């Protein structure tokens, strides 16, 4: 169970960082289509650097975790959250994936509706730019969280 | 129909701990514990492995309850 908590927490941190970096880039970038010369300025801020740095740190942590605890709890850096120690954990992983899939179909449908209504209810260009990023980030984190909760739940019940 | 097992009984008879049986069967202790409590139905491969470790016929350890 520790390996799944470790993997999912790391993934959630990275997903949030990526979303924040994307959001700030979108907010600070400028697009000028008024002139004949189409002008686009994309600004990459420090959050991107932090994201890259954290990705490297977490990759090293994953490698170390795999080397130290991998043999004991079946953690595999390639399989990541689908790592299984034995057939029982394989079953838990399958159940958790199924639950996550079911939740995600509903969450994605709901986010599509939110996207539709938010487009109708706001005329702020900034908000229109940000809403899809926020929605995708929320969906991403929810997906990781649901898999984690489902895994813990089945680990206690199987 | 459900599968009932007598792993705990025969494991104790063989003087094996859950940890040792798990080690010999290449599974986690949690899997053996879950199996003994009847929460988990093992695969045929694991059932055969356990019966081989305990040196008993598979039908002695696992049976179908109707």
């Amino acid at each position: 169970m520790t390996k799944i908590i470790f993997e999912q927490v790391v993934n959630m941190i990275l997903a949030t960082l990526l979303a924040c970096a994307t959001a700030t880039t979108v907010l600070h970038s400028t697009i000028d289509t008024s002139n004949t010369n189409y002008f686009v300025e994309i600004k990459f801020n420090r959050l991107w650097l932090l994201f890259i740095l954290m990705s490297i740190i977490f990759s090293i942590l994953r490698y170390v975790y795999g080397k130290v605890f991998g043999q004991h709890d079946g953690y595999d850096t390639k399989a990541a959250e689908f790592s299984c120690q034995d057939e029982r954990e394989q079953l838990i992983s399958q159940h958790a994936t199924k639950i996550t899939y079911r939740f995600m179909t509903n969450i994605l449908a709901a986010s599509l509706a939110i996207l539709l209504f938010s487009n109708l209810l706001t005329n702020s260009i900034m908000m229109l730019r940000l809403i899809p990023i926020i929605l995708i980030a929320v969906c991403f984190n929810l997906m990781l969280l649901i898999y984690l909760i489902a895994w813990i739940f089945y680990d206690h019940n199987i | 129909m459900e599968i009932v097992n007598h792993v705990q009984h025969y494991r104790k008879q063989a003087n094996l701990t859950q940890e040792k049986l798990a080690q010999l069967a290449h599974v986690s202790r949690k899997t053996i514990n879950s199996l003994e409590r009847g929460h988990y139905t093992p695969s045929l491969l694991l059932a055969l492995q356990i019966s081989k470790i305990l040196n008993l016929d598979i039908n002695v350890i696992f049976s179908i309850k109707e």
Side-chain angles (χ1 to χ4, degrees), chain A residues 9-20:
Chain A
V9 168
V10 164
N11 285 340
M12 278 190 266
I13 294 168
L14 286 179
T16 310
L17 262 176
L18 180 65
C20 291

Side-chain angles (χ1 to χ4, degrees), chain B residues 7-8 10-22 24 36 50 53-54:
Chain B
V7 174
Q8 190 176 24
Y10 290 111
R11 175 181 60 77
K12 282 179 179 172
Q13 209 173 59
N15 280 324
L16 286 173
T17 59
Q18 283 188 344
E19 190 75 52
K20 188 68 190 169
L21 179 61
L24 293 168
E36 287 184 354
I50 289 169
I53 292 161
L54 298 174

Side-chain angles (χ1 to χ4, degrees), chain A residues 101-124:
Chain A
Y101 171 79
R102 281 188 182 162
F103 265 95
M104 279 317 290
T105 49
N106 294 318
I107 290 165
L108 286 173
S111 60
L112 206 65
I114 293 167
L115 198 65
L116 170 76
F117 287 108
S118 61
N119 275 311
L120 293 171
L121 296 171
T122 183
N123 54 4
S124 159

Side-chain angles (χ1 to χ4, degrees), chain A residues 1 72 85-89 91 155-158, chain B residues 26-28 30-31 34 39-43 46:
Chain A
M1 187 165 67
H72 176 68
Q85 189 180 7
D86 55 27
E87 57 176 54
R88 183 181 145 272
E89 285 196 352
L91 185 74
D155 189 43
H156 280 286
N157 290 288
I158 294 178
Chain B
H26 305 290
V27 291
S28 66
K30 253 183 166 179
T31 302
S34 178
H39 289 190
Y40 175 64
T41 307
S43 68
L46 181 57

